[in-house]
Amino acid sequence: MTRSLPIIAGNRPLGVSLTEGEEYYFCTCGRSKNQPFCDGSHSTTTFVPQAFTAEKDGMAYLCSCKHSLNQPFCDGSHKPFAAEQIGTEGPGVESD
C-alpha cells in the first residue's frame, strides 16, 4: 500500500443524528460513498476508520473535508477548500 492523502469529501460539516452509547466508524480517507461514515473504501490506502462512541443523543457536525484536527468533529478546517477541490486529494493534516 502506498501512502495516500485524504480526499476532500466536502467543504462543509455534515450534520448527523447520533445515538448515545452507539459506536460509529468515521471515514478518515474521504473515499467512502457513505460519508461521513466508513464503507471500507480505505482498503487500498494506509488509512483506517476512526471508531468513536456517541456521548449523547442528538445532532453532531462531523468533518467532511478530512482535515479537522478534532476528528471526527468539524473544526472549520474546510473553509479554505473550494467546491472545485471536492473529490481531489487535500494537503493532509498537519498536527503538532
Side-chain angles (χ1 to χ4, degrees):
M1 277 185 247
T2 59
R3 171 72 175 115
S4 301
L5 293 170
I7 299 294
I8 300 166
N11 64 352
R12 62 181 55 117
L14 294 170
V16 296
S17 180
L18 301 179
T19 302
E20 181 179 357
E22 189 167 326
E23 187 172 48
Y24 297 90
Y25 293 89
F26 174 73
C27 168
T28 59
C29 70
R31 291 161 175 77
S32 175
K33 302 294 185 233
N34 188 34
Q35 291 295 329
F37 302 110
C38 177
D39 70 359
S41 295
H42 64 275
S43 64
T44 61
T45 73
T46 58
F47 289 94
V48 294
Q50 180 180 352
F52 73 99
T53 302
E55 295 180 7
K56 60 182 180 179
D57 288 339
M59 289 297 292
Y61 293 89
L62 303 186
C63 173
S64 68
C65 75
K66 309 306 172 184
H67 288 75
S68 173
L69 294 177
N70 189 34
Q71 288 184 11
F73 304 101
C74 175
D75 70 357
S77 293
H78 62 273
K79 292 177 182 174
F81 299 124
E84 297 78 28
Q85 291 176 282
I86 295 172
T88 66
E89 282 189 348
V93 177
E94 297 287 328
S95 63
D96 296 330

